Amino acid sequence: MIDEHEWRSVLQVAKDGTFSLAAKHLFISQPSLSQCIKKIEGELGMQIFDRSKSPLQLTEAGRIYIEAAHQMKDLRKNLLSRVDDLSELRSGQVRIGSSRTRSVCVLADAMVAFHQRYPNIQLSVVEGSTSRLQEHILQGHVDFSLLYTPLPDTFRTIPLMEERVFVAVPQHHPMVSQYNGVQPLPYPVISFKAFQDEPFIILKPSRCMRTIYDNLCKTTGVKPREVFEGDSVLSAAELCSRGMGATLITDMLIRLGARKEPPFFFALKENIEARQLVAAYGANQQLSKAAQVFLQFIR
């Protein structure tokens, strides 16, 4: 019953006191304005203006309508203001799905930099396995998740970075002795076959790195001595640095550093395709401006 064109027309007539002056201010013809007002009055079943007086006076129904029209005007103003705040990143939120490792290696610096630039945008991170992160996207619990390709057609993706897989070995392992504690660059190459019966830290079957490990074991016929099954590359790398055993690691985590005694790193002779890290979101989903801007902070 009340649309913007109609309540603006009523407000203008009430302000100007005549149809002719109101029509001029609304840039429409007087007959069109009169027809609009009659339509509203017909829907209400009562007159809004007392036409026997000049200037026009509001009836009791008119006063009720004007009050509602002012409320509509305020609601519209508030709506536009809030949307403008979102477009200018003065309010809103970004919800991100991630693994623990990617939270530390990829998101931490980006979140700090983004918060410094847009302090009123709320950031939140939901961590979980690959399958859970996909579910969070489809259920609308996150704006996007950090995942690796390939992904089903139910997702759209934005490429972020490529990750290469290496192997980390404790600094005091016999394999490292020939390097006298100095990490050569580029990393020396070693075959996964060298890890037959060697203590090795693996990840749980739900993790992508576990799939890479299983494939290496299958293609090389090698079976390391699995000493621990962890939940993240981050924890596996920490245990490796403390001497528990070797583990697979990515260059993303190598760049993080920050350990008292970092492991020694080897490139693998076996061909392991680089992993493509992406921001994944629903195929029918539209990323908010805040989410799009946040992704620009990921390096």
Side-chain angles (χ1 to χ4, degrees), residues 260-272:
K260 289 183 179 180
E261 187 175 36
F264 191 91
F265 304 112
F266 288 97
L268 281 166
K269 181 179 179 181
E270 288 73 22
N271 183 29
I272 301 177

Side-chain angles (χ1 to χ4, degrees), residues 33-45:
L33 177 58
S34 297
Q35 185 178 4
C36 174
I37 301 300
K38 287 181 180 179
K39 174 179 176 292
I40 298 170
E41 291 175 330
E43 292 175 346
L44 290 174

